[in-house]
Structure formats: structure tokens, C-alpha cells
Amino acid sequence: MSGEGGSGSRERPLSVVAISIGNELLDGRTADTNLGFAARALGAMGLRIARHATIGDDRAGIRTALEREWAAGTDLVLLSGGLGPTADDVTREALADLAGVALIEDRAVLERLAARYARIGRAFTGVARRQALLPEGVDQLPNPVGLAPGLWLEREGRVIAALPGVPAEFQAILREGILPRLGRMAGSHATRSVALRTMGIPEAELADRIAGLAIDWTGIELAYLPHSGGVDLRLVATGGAEIEARLAAAEAAIAKCFGTDVYGRGEVTIEEVVGNLLRDRGLTLAVAESCTGGMVSARLTRVPGSSDYFRGGIIAYANEAKERLLGVPGALIGAKGAVSEEVALAMAQGAREKLGADVALAVTGIAGPGGGSQEKPVGLVHIAFAGGAKAFARRLFLPASRDLIRERSTLLALDLLRRELESPAG
Amino acid sequence: MSGEGGSGSRERPLSVVAISIGNELLDGRTADTNLGFAARALGAMGLRIARHATIGDDRAGIRTALEREWAAGTDLVLLSGGLGPTADDVTREALADLAGVALIEDRAVLERLAARYARIGRAFTGVARRQALLPEGVDQLPNPVGLAPGLWLEREGRVIAALPGVPAEFQAILREGILPRLGRMAGSHATRSVALRTMGIPEAELADRIAGLAIDWTGIELAYLPHSGGVDLRLVATGGAEIEARLAAAEAAIAKCFGTDVYGRGEVTIEEVVGNLLRDRGLTLAVAESCTGGMVSARLTRVPGSSDYFRGGIIAYANEAKERLLGVPGALIGAKGAVSEEVALAMAQGAREKLGADVALAVTGIAGPGGGSQEKPVGLVHIAFAGGAKAFARRLFLPASRDLIRERSTLLALDLLRRELESPAG
């Protein structure tokens, strides 16, 4: 079913298939985020997920799917879900069926479970004990953030790894239990990767400019990963020790080419980068928002410890609020309109003063679907910075849905602040 | 692979399998939202998705997967993705392979495409023309929001429906093209459904109380759909005309039992409900936020037209900001702490006054992971309402991750406002 089926020329060491288990995924209650997380984590090791299936809480169905993968020669099947305590969690049973072994109660797991239940003051019932039942001979993958361990079933060099479906547990076990083992399985096909996160340059322009760089691509693969906040560049290198220097040279050449258009490396977010810059420089921040309605502040405060630098925000949605809370002159709004460079600047200055912050950011725009005009269409957004003796604004035109206009305005406002904080004069 | 395989007792008229196509889903660039949307839309008709697969942009792989489903007797295969103009969009080719027909250029589609390209001022190239190539004899499903039509391939009463992967296009074609046809295919097995959205009652308690109601469940199925904002109750009725009265009676009995714990019907969101209540009552709203950092305001302003009632918000993250912007007495913060009922009330009163609004909402809490204590642990949140001569606060304890504490606080604050606005005295 996958692209790899037809060609024997792939040099990848391992073939991988992901299977998610749970009725809640098939009836629309829950969105599956584990596939994407696993794909990115494995991708960083140079491994691809060849295909993915979602199946219900069905013991025979899970077994059949696994048998099919073993017959197909899949090296790694990554199972997600069905390891909880209730009767519809049947992944353990399906694995035991497949391996032809019994489920036995693991004493160590049982004791950890009993202790955990005692600590949170809940009765350790027969249902809860089910999580200590493991297929005989299976390896355990410790669960640092939950109750049920992950399972690692290996036969003739092929592996079925079963992880809990709860995203935090899935991610922790993948990172701490699966990836190191895969690194060992891959052996001499060791891979290293770097991800450079860019904002402000379209994918096609990135590709054009990278094509013009003198980079030795031997053993290195480049992928473009666009998302609403920009485009990530992922470099994956496969080979021996000599690959290290080549990968570092490629990364350096790209980083030099794009300069401050690269806002970070790996999984770091723009709000974390901004937060670190503010903390390093000992600066406090205030925000004034209109069309984004709190989204800039909500993002900044997602970061634990953001109270170190974030003073607060003012969402001046009504024009009157812009006057009362930010001191924007009513005459200025009347003359230039609430969505104007001048009002954006006045909002930033006002937020800075009212909140007693070192620097401030402001956003005002027309998110639609109503409220646009020929002169000021839906998607017109002004973002402004104020700090020290400096204040400036930038005009954006982002024609899209209301949600996307707000999302992109939020990210580009944060990026404006980042660039200013990173600039030598900033 | 699915729950239906083992039992022949299901009375559902149609078996459904969903397949998503695209390398971007398998490498973690894009999250698949089409599965969840289709599952909920079909679920409302009483149809279940038995299983789901994600496969890459691979012509042979798509054909193999479809052949397998036809061999398995699947009534409807819902394909998503691979209908775009570029060379890696190969769903059209795979369908033609499967049906043993040629791809022919459809004149009507071609003309629509050319006109659309002319309107947006882009060159209508050979690549773009690919979207007019359709498998011979296939039915088209009009695409009201995009370029490529959906495809409906029917053989011996079984159907493969291929839709674009772009969520807005997938959703529009599913709603306007697929669901009506499925209604006809289901024939006498007509279904009707209602969804009641509840907040504030755990799923187990909902189930207990519903079990105690005198409801004739003949032909009616009840599903509990929990999510971070509460639990949705979905009633799906299958049968003839007589089912209508029974469904209405069941809905009325449940609605009466839970009263204001039901905040809406269908897909309506809590911020839409709150917005409609404010507009109907001619009231304006101000918000003061600490731990939610702008999330309450961001949600309220997601709703188009929210400027009719939302004056603005103050994100008083630092204590000093609570004093300066909201007029919360420093002595009160010193005596009671920033996370206290008294400060929540003062924040709500302050936001109302500063923004000149009729009613105000405030949230203050400890989202963690740091900042908790024995007395005031992570997860402690106070929400407050102020309006008219009335002001009150509620204490919540929501031990969870930082993200979840913030999300639940946001929703429960909006729900507090809704209940107050719905109350006879409100």
C-alpha cells in the first residue's frame, strides 16, 4: 500500500507502520495526534512511516492487522492505544493471542500501580489491576508520566511496540523508550538530523535559494515542512562518522543564507524564542490586541514561567476601549481608522505606558468576514513595536478565513518582536 | 479488522471505510481532520466508520487498498486527498485503474477551471488542466469552495467517493454531495439525530440519571461524546415516520432532566451561545484574565460579529498590572493572594468599570507547573462574574497539565457567564 512496496532500492534500515486503536478515533470524539508526533520524531531519525491504520477496540481485529504486518515483513509496528484498565482496552490480549503466550500479572508493575493508586487516594480495584497483565516474555517500556508501561515484542528482529494512546504518555515512551532502541536497531545506518524553523519566506523561495548554495548533499536529505507559522527545513543525514561534518556544513550554509529568517532549531516555538530573548535581555513585555482578540497574549502565556517577562495585555476590541485603556486619541481613530499604522503605533505606545513595560507589541486588523472595504479589505493587518526610543509598524495583507487571518497575524506579530530583539540595535 | 467483522447482527444499512491519501499525513506535516469530521457527520446519520487507513501518494497503493475494500464487501469507501493538480495527486489515476476505464478531459470542468484561473489572474497551465481529467463514467460531486470536483464511482450498489483533502472542500462536498446520496442509499433505514451539548456533569453521572428516565428507546441509540468542554449526548433514531415522535420525546425528557446543564444543540459552541445571549439581552461584556492569559477573550472573538457585545479584555498577568489596569487594591492581593475569590471579584468589577461594560468575567488561577503550594495547589482557579448589583465567584480545582488547566478554566468561565445570563434573574 505504500511507496516502498514497488521499489527495492531504498537504503532505509527499517520499515515502519503505525496503527492507532480506539473507537473514539473512528467516531470523531478524539483526534489522533500520535501519528503526527511519531512521524516527526521518526522522521528526524531518517525513518518514514509507510502507512497508518485506525481500527476499533476489537481484539480479533488488532490481531489480524498485526498478522498482516508480520506477513508483509514490516520491521516495526507502532501501536497506539488500548492499554488502559477497562474491558474495551484489548491490546494486551491481542498481543498475547498473536505471540501465542499467556497474560501474566507482573508483580513489579502491580506494586507500582498499587502505590500510585494509594497516593492519589483511589481504590485499587480488579479493573485497575488489569494494567499489570502483560503478555509472557514481552519487554516493558517504562511510562514516566502514567500508569501502564509500553510493551516491546520482538521476534526474529521484527518488533511490535505498543504504547498508551494518551498523547503525553505516548510521547514520553516514544522519546525515552522507542527512539533509543530504534537507534540501536538501525546500527550502522545511524542518522542525525537538524531542523531549522523559518518564518517569512515562501517555500518556493526557500527552495530556490537553497538550490543556489554550494552544499555537498551526499547522504543528506532535505525536507520542507510548511505550517501556519512558516516553513521548517529538516536535514536528515544517514551514514558513518564522516556524515557529521557534512551535516554541520550544510546546516551552517543554510543558516548563513537565511540569517534571521531562521527563528529556531528543533521543536522550539516562536513564543519560547521570544520569551528567552526577553529573559536574556532583562526586558518586560506588554501587548495590545484588537483583531487577534487575546491570541498573542494566550500564546506568550502558554510558556511556563512567562510571568518573568510578560506584564500583561490589553484587548481593545471596541474603539472606545482603545481610547480608555490605551489612550489612543479618538481624533486619530476618526482620521485614520482603527485599522491603520498610526493607531497600531499608538496602541503599542499605550500598552507600554499603561503596563509599565520595556517593550510592547500591538495588532489591529480586519479579520472578517464582515467589516472590509475596497480601501481596507478583510485581511489587512497592522502590527507595531514600541520600545526604548524606537517605534515602528508593519502592514500585512493576509487574505484568508477569519481563523487563519488571526492565527497568522499572531505569529507574524511575535516574529516582528523576535527580529527586533535579535537585531544588534534591539 | 473492525468490530463489525465478527458479528452479523448489525442492522446498519451501510458499511463504511475511510481512507486518507497523502505523504504529508504520514510525515507529520499535516494533521488529518477529515476523519473526525466525516465520523461525526456520518455518526449523526447512524453510520459508523468501521476502520480508517492513511496511505501515501502512491497510485498502485491506492488501487490495492480499494480492491481490498471491494473484496471485503465495503458499501462505501470515503477517499480523502490526491485530487489536486500536481503530479503526486494520483487518486484519479488509481480510480481509473480500478474501474478499468480511461481518464478523459471533462469539457464542463475544464471551462470552469479556466474561468476560475482567469478570475484570480493565474496562468491556466497543463498542470492545472489535470484537475479536469476524470475517470470515464464517474459521477461528479460539485465543489462549492474549490476547483476539483469530488468523484462518485458506483458499481453494483457499492460506492467509492473521492473528495479533495483540503478540509473546507472535503467538508462542503461531504455535506452537500455525499450525505444526501447516503440518505437515499439508506432508503427505508432513514435516520434522524439530535445532539445535546452539556457542561458541568461527569459522563458517569449523565449515564446514571438518563438510565432513570422513562424513555422509549426503541430504534434510538444514545452515544456519549466527551471532550475538554463537557460531554455531548447524541441521539440517533433509525426507522420510519413513527420514529420522529419518539426521538422528540426522548430529547425533551433528557433536556428537562438536565435543564441548564444543556448549553446548546448540534455544533454550536459555548462562545456562540454566550454571544447570542449577550446580543439578545443588549448587554456588553468585559473580561479580566490572569492564568488563562487571553484565552477567554480569544474564544469570544473567534465568533464573527463579536464586536457587537465584546468591549475588550485586560490580561493582568503581573500583580502590578492587576492594580494598575483593574484597580485591584494591592493590600487585597497582599492579604488574600492573587489567586483568591476576593481578587477574582475585584478583577471582574475592575474590568467592568474600566471598560464601561454591562457585565464582566474574571479568571485567576495557578496553571503550573510551578507556583503551587500546599494551600494553593496547581489547578486551583477562581472565576468571577460582575453585573448589575450582582457579583459572585466560584472556586474550581482542575489538577491537570498547564494547557488543560487553562483550556478548562476558559470553558468553565464562559459557562458560568452563560448560566448567569440564562437565569431568570440574569
Side-chain angles (χ1 to χ4, degrees), chain B residues 4-20:
Chain B
E4 98 200 74
S7 85
S9 65
R10 284 167 69 259
E11 284 185 47
R12 309 226 166 272
L14 300 172
S15 60
V16 184
V17 167
I19 299 179
S20 303

Side-chain angles (χ1 to χ4, degrees), chain A residues 1-26:
Chain A
M1 280 164 91
S2 83
E4 95 198 79
S7 87
S9 66
R10 282 168 72 256
E11 283 184 49
R12 309 229 166 269
L14 300 172
S15 59
V16 184
V17 168
I19 299 179
S20 303
I21 295 162
N23 292 343
E24 73 278 10
L25 302 169
L26 289 171

Side-chain angles (χ1 to χ4, degrees), chain A residues 2 26 28 39-40 52-54 58 68 293 297-298 301-302 311-313 315 318 320 324 353-354 402-403 406, chain B residues 2 26 28 39-40 52-54 58 68 293 297-298 301-302 311-313 315 318 320 324 353-354 402-403 406:
Chain A
S2 83
L26 289 171
R40 290 187 295 272
H52 171 252
T54 309
D58 170 40
R68 187 182 292 168
S297 304
T301 56
R302 269 200 72 189
R311 309 292 296 161
I315 303 156
E320 202 194 326
R324 286 168 77 146
E353 279 164 32
K354 300 283 177 180
R402 180 178 178 87
D403 282 348
R406 283 159 42 97
Chain B
S2 82
L26 289 171
R40 290 188 294 274
H52 171 252
T54 310
D58 169 40
R68 187 183 291 168
S297 304
T301 55
R302 269 199 72 188
R311 308 294 294 162
I315 304 156
E320 203 194 326
R324 285 169 77 148
E353 280 164 31
K354 300 282 178 181
R402 181 177 177 86
D403 281 348
R406 284 160 41 99

Side-chain angles (χ1 to χ4, degrees), chain B residues 311-362:
Chain B
R311 308 294 294 162
I314 293 171
I315 304 156
Y317 216 56
N319 283 346
E320 203 194 326
K322 294 182 181 72
E323 295 179 43
R324 285 169 77 148
L325 294 180
L326 292 166
V328 180
L332 185 69
I333 298 176
K336 303 292 181 177
V339 178
S340 63
E341 187 182 320
E342 291 83 356
V343 167
L345 281 167
M347 287 171 65
Q349 300 279 22
R352 195 178 158 224
E353 280 164 31
K354 300 282 178 181
L355 279 149
D358 299 312
V359 298
L361 200 55

Side-chain angles (χ1 to χ4, degrees), chain B residues 41-183:
Chain B
L42 294 177
M45 297 183 69
L47 296 176
R48 279 193 189 126
I49 294 176
R51 60 187 174 275
H52 171 252
T54 310
I55 57 184
D57 296 306
D58 169 40
R59 181 169 170 172
I62 300 168
R63 179 186 171 165
T64 305
L66 292 174
E67 278 170 348
R68 187 183 291 168
E69 292 306 334
W70 255 349
T74 302
D75 294 311
L76 169 68
V77 182
L78 197 58
L79 281 179
S80 155
L83 292 179
T86 61
D88 60 358
D89 290 306
V90 292
T91 297
R92 285 176 292 260
E93 285 76 1
L95 278 178
D97 292 346
L98 180 79
V101 299
L103 282 175
I104 49 170
E105 200 169 61
D106 187 281
R107 176 150 294 279
V109 175
L110 196 69
E111 281 169 11
R112 277 203 308 276
L113 283 170
R116 195 87 69 111
Y117 273 75
R119 211 178 319 141
I120 60 174
R122 281 204 284 158
F124 188 51
T125 61
V127 170
R129 286 177 80 108
R130 289 194 66 227
Q131 293 170 99
L133 287 175
L134 305 182
E136 207 172 353
V138 78
D139 271 12
Q140 291 178 38
L141 303 167
N143 183 341
V145 294
L147 293 171
L151 307 176
W152 177 274
L153 181 66
E154 196 163 343
R155 288 286 152 93
E156 297 167 19
R158 294 205 200 119
V159 174
I160 297 172
L163 278 63
V166 177
E169 301 183 27
F170 180 88
Q171 293 172 19
I173 298 178
L174 188 81
R175 204 158 20 212
E176 297 178 22
I178 303 283
L179 299 184
R181 287 172 182 240
L182 290 183

